[in-house]
């Protein structure tokens, strides 16, 4: 939990007062899918709206001083136009449905992308979507068919990133009013640590440190473990032909076997050569990716927590997430 | 908003709208521009067009600043000549044009739009007819479209226009409501007035003077009587009393001019007694001060001065339409006693002037010692001699009246009035010339009188012991129809009197249908003047009283709130915010309708039959429609039970509905 508090703080340096956040959280609770309605839309005049109001006043005074009803009428028309714009501003957000999609993986320091799906029964125009202090996405037209907007989120640190409240705003049709909403799409993402190239873990692969390894390392083609079936190549040994499958009419297939080779590897923070724990975590991140790329079986030991050796994408993600979520500490004790 | 900086770039679409707006806003202001401003505006426009077409770059800021300073300086120099307000307007227009060529981001566009509205308001200062107001509302809408174009960049012009126009149309009801209930305030402070050309009759008259006006078909003023209007020959609208004659020109006397310039009503007139005529006058813009009234006229409208010669006078020049109430008492005498000073003024004649007329006047005096008889004889003199009424009289020499009265014997009202005043004074009767308008065109539809410039007239007032000032019109002796039936009756179309208004709608009056149409348009314009331009706090009270009965604060508040709620609902509905449920399912009902028809044709659908089963039954029993029906069933199943993309659903629904209609028709024909 400390992690969570930590990361939000680092994202939102000038965050609004707490009661405002608490009020928003009560009024617009986090949800994966949100449709904006009167409860979630706020409208206030923009700076241009205030200028407009002073224009109305100016014309009214001009009309009064010249006793010119047409100029007074023009000022009323502009005032009424303002009123119409409030309704249109509301309409331009009301009924807007937003839902979050899972984010692609990202490493610390990279720009994170949050994909958001937008759709609305009635056409809506020029809606600005952004996370606080990040680039604003302009969605020109939103229609019934959902469209994707990829929201950028700059320079996150490793760990669980909660982007906070998404700001949606629109000044359509005349820029007099700003309708906006802050919604929480409940779309957190775990950002992996920034990878730093490290050869100490990879070289550990070559050492025969039996005490660390009980399992085997890399798989190579062999005879011990059944791996699967593949197309039979003419001229191959008939011993490997899967006769049962041939009888079932599935064609000539060969059984493939593999055999683990070398030593399976345990990754740990302790056998990395760096004083700073963050740097070690970064090196570990790099190693996990590198090993996964090679198809190496490896396990992870962080203190008392162990991830048993395995390989494959899900194993890689599990390992990366585990180290990404390690508490921040400047120095190791 | 650091992130949206990139969005602040002005799109080409907005630039095009700005180009259109610039032209339509500045065109109606052409008459207020000095030639210099006009040139700079033209350069800016061409430059902007060049930028739009991608031919030239934006001017450097330094150049724009220099141009702005130079034009401000030039304007400061000519301001004394064109008036303060005109100077300011020119400055604003130049600022508008210059800002226009150095626009960089959306904020600049917004400023240009704001200034555009101010320029529209300024145009309304000078132009107030209903047609112009509609046109300017149109221009204001185009100005609004510029703002719309900032938010809809990738659409065609007509889509932006559609949004802009619907925004304005939806805003009109609330604007009308505000117009109706918002309190009208008196002017908060004095404003500089527009300096423009004066129209209408002037404060001095020489022989050519009124002839110039008779060529103009412009409207001078309109009158709405509370009761029935008087007959045409009683309609002498007094505007000016001219007492000074120098042998060439009749002028107002200095003492009256002094009173006018001091804006003082020096003596209170006796209370109006006797039968009265009450009416309101809507005077057109003339940039003059004099107002119009019949006989002895009183007015309780604020800002009107009642002068001792029984005229109404406005201290402020009429820079826009002005509406006032008048009460006239035709039977009331003017000036029962005449001071020595006034008597002398009205007996004065230049020395050595018009000797033959002098002699004639003396003859009348000798023959008719009683002033009444003498005046009658003088009036009859015009009928006994071959006098002729014409708008194109022959030229006269320095002894004007001699030449006219004894040689040419042809002229119009000014000639006859001058001659009679001269003769009356020469024979010892105080007399003065009065100018104004005579008659009026009756508009049957809206029940009011229009008085045009060509109805300008001059007549005589003489003072008689015991009767005060009496009106005498020598023109009525020569051309009685002119007075009895009006100017138009005397000059049936044709004559020279629309020379300055070749396109006047008044020319249509020879064609009954077109004349009717012209009168209709005139009455619309009349109502516009009365109800929109002349809408003041008393009118407001009147309307609210009619709407709400007794006016209380609570009632107005309730009326305001309920109309506001209604207007907001209507806007919300037209903006597509409120959706009323359609009631029943369109697809099911269309399918069931076909099923019902099939039942009538002898193919009933059993309760246990699904659409597929039923389709098989239909195919076997009614092979004529088998193909269509199976297609319909497929659509129906797809719409009801399959998940479709929104666009797929839309198109399938369309196909389904079309097919169901075709099938219905086929079944009915079967």
């Amino acid at each position: 939990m400390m992690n969570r508090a930590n990361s939000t703080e680092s994202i939102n340096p000038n965050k609004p007062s707490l009661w405002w956040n608490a009020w928003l959280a009560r009024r617009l609770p986090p949800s994966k899918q949100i449709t904006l309605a009167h409860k979630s839309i706020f409208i206030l005049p923009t700076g241009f709206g205030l200028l407009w109001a002073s224009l109305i006043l100016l014309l009214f005074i001009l009309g009064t001083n010249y006793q010119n009803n047409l100029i007074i009428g023009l000022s009323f028309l502009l005032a009424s136009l303002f009123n119409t714009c409030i309704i249109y501003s509301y309409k331009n957000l009301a009924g807007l449905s937003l839902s979050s999609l899972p984010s692609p993986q990202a490493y610390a320091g990279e720009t994170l992308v949050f994909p958001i799906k937008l759709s609305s029964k009635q056409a809506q125009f020029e809606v600005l979507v952004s996370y606080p202090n990040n680039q604003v996405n302009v969605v020109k037209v939103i229609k019934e068919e959902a469209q994707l907007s990829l929201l950028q989120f700059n320079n996150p640190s490793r760990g669980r990133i909660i982007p906070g409240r998404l700001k949606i705003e629109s000044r359509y049709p005349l820029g007099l009013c700003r309708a906006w909403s802050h919604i929480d799409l409940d779309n957190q993402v775990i950002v992996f640590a920034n990878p730093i190239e490290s050869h100490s873990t990879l070289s550990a692969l070559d050492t025969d440190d039996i005490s660390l390894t009980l399992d085997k390392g890399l798989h190579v083609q062999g005879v011990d473990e059944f791996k699967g079936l593949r197309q039979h190549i003419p001229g191959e040994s008939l011993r490997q032909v899967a006769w049962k499958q041939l009888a079932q009419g599935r064609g000539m297939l060969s059984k493939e076997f593999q055999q683990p080779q070398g030593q399976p590897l345990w990754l740990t923070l302790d056998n990395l050569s760096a004083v700073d724990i963050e740097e070690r975590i970064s090196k570990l991140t790099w190693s996990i990716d590198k090993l996964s790329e090679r198809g190496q079986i490896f396990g992870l030991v962080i203190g008392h927590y162990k991830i048993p050796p395995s390989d494959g994408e899900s194993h890689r993600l599990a390992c990366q997430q585990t180290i990404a979520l390690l508490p921040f500490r400047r120095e190791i004790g | 908003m650091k992130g949206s900086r990139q969005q602040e770039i002005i799109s080409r679409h907005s630039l095009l709208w700005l180009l259109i707006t610039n032209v339509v806003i500045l065109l109606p202001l052409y008459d207020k521009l000095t030639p210099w401003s006009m040139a700079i505006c033209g350069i800016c426009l061409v430059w902007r067009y060049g930028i739009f077409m991608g031919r030239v770059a934006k001017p450097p800021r330094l150049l724009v600043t220099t141009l702005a300073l130079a034009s401000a300086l030039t304007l400061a120099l000519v301001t004394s000549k064109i008036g303060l307000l005109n100077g300011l307007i020119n400055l604003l227009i130049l600022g508008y044009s210059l800002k226009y060529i150095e626009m960089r981001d959306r904020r600049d566009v917004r400023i240009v739009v704001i200034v555009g509205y101010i320029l529209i308001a300024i145009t309304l200062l000078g132009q107030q007819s209903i047609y112009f107001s509609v046109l300017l509302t149109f221009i204001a809408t185009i100005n609004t479209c510029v703002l719309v174009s900032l938010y809809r960049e990738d659409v065609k012009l007509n889509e932006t226009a559609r949004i802009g126009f619907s925004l304005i149309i939806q805003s009109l009801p609330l604007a009308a409501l505000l117009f109706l209930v918002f309190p009208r305030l008196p002017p908060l402070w004095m404003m500089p007035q527009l300096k423009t050309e004066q129209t209408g009759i002037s404060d001095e008259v020489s022989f050519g003077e009124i002839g110039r006006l008779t060529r103009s078909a412009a409207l001078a003023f309109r009158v709405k009587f509370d009761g029935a209007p008087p007959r045409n020959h009683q309609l002498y609208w007094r505007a000016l009393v001219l007492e000074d004659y120098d042998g060439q020109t009749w002028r107002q006397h200095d003492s009256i001019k002094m009173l006018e310039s001091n804006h003082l009503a020096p003596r209170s007139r006796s209370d109006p007694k006797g039968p009265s005529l009450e009416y309101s006058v809507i005077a057109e813009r003339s940039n003059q001060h004099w107002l119009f009234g019949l006989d002895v006229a009183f007015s309780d409208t604020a800002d009107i001065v009642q002068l001792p010669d029984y005229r109404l006078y406005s201290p402020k020049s009429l820079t826009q339409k002005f509406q006032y109430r008048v009460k006239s008492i035709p039977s009331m005498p003017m000036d029962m006693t005449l001071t020595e000073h006034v008597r002398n003024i009205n007996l004065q004649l230049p020395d050595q002037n018009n000797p033959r007329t002098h002699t004639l006047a003396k003859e009348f005096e000798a023959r008719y010692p009683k002033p009444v008889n003498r005046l009658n004889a003088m009036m009859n003199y015009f009928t006994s001699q071959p006098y002729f009424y014409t708008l194109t009289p022959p030229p006269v020499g320095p002894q004007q009246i001699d030449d006219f009265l004894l040689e040419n014997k042809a002229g119009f009202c000014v000639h006859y009035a001058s001659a009679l005043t001269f003769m009356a004074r020469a024979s010892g009767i105080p007399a003065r010339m009065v100018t104004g308008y005579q008659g009026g065109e009756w508009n049957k539809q809206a029940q009011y009188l229009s008085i045009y410039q060509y109805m300008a007239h001059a007549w005589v007032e003489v003072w008689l012991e015991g009767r005060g000032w009496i009106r005498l019109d020598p023109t009525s002796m020569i051309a009685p129809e002119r007075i009895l039936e009006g100017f138009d009756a005397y000059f049936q179309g044709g004559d020279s009197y629309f020379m300055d208004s070749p396109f006047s709608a008044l020319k249509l009056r020879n064609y009954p249908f077109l004349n009717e149409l012209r009168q209709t348009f005139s009455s619309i314009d009349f109502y516009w003047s009365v109800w929109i331009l002349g809408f003041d706090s008393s009118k407001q009270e009147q309307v609210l009283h009619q709407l709400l009965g007794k006016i209380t604060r609570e009632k107005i508040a309730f009326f305001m709130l309920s109309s506001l709620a209604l207007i907001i609902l209507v806007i919300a509905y037209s903006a597509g915010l409120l959706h009323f449920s359609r009631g029943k399912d369109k697809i099911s009902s269309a399918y069931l309708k076909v099923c019902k028809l099939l039942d009538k044709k002898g193919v009933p659908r059993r309760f246990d039959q699904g659409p597929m089963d039923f389709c098989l039954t239909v195919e076997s029993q009614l092979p004529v429609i088998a193909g269509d029906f199976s297609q319909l069933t497929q659509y129906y199943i797809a719409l009801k039970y399959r998940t479709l993309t929104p666009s797929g659903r839309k198109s399938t629904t369309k196909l389904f509905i079309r097919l169901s209609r075709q099938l219905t028709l086929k079944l009915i024909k079967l």
Side-chain angles (χ1 to χ4, degrees), chain B residues 248-261:
Chain B
Q248 302 294 325
T249 308
W250 290 89
R251 288 195 180 85
Q252 282 189 289
H253 194 262
D254 291 338
S255 59
I256 284 286
K257 275 193 179 165
M258 252 236 309
L259 285 176
E260 285 180 347
S261 57

Side-chain angles (χ1 to χ4, degrees), chain A residues 108-140:
Chain A
E110 286 179 358
T111 301
L112 189 54
V113 172
F114 288 98
I116 307 277
K117 233 165 72 178
L118 301 148
S119 72
S120 163
K121 278 232 161 69
Q122 56 196 9
Q124 293 174 333
F125 309 102
E126 199 156 293
V127 176
L128 312 182
V129 209
S130 67
Y131 279 112
N133 306 318
N134 280 286
Q135 201 200 309
V136 179
N137 277 19
V138 182
V139 189
K140 286 277 175 203

Side-chain angles (χ1 to χ4, degrees), chain A residues 46 65 86:
Chain A
T46 56
N65 276 354
I86 297 174

Side-chain angles (χ1 to χ4, degrees), chain A residues 65-66 69 80 84 88 91 140, chain B residues 171 188 192 320 532 535 575:
Chain A
N65 276 354
Y66 281 107
N69 273 339
S80 173
T84 310
Y88 269 80
K91 181 204 157 201
K140 286 277 175 203
Chain B
S171 305
L188 305 174
Q320 54 190 26
I532 305 297
F535 192 81

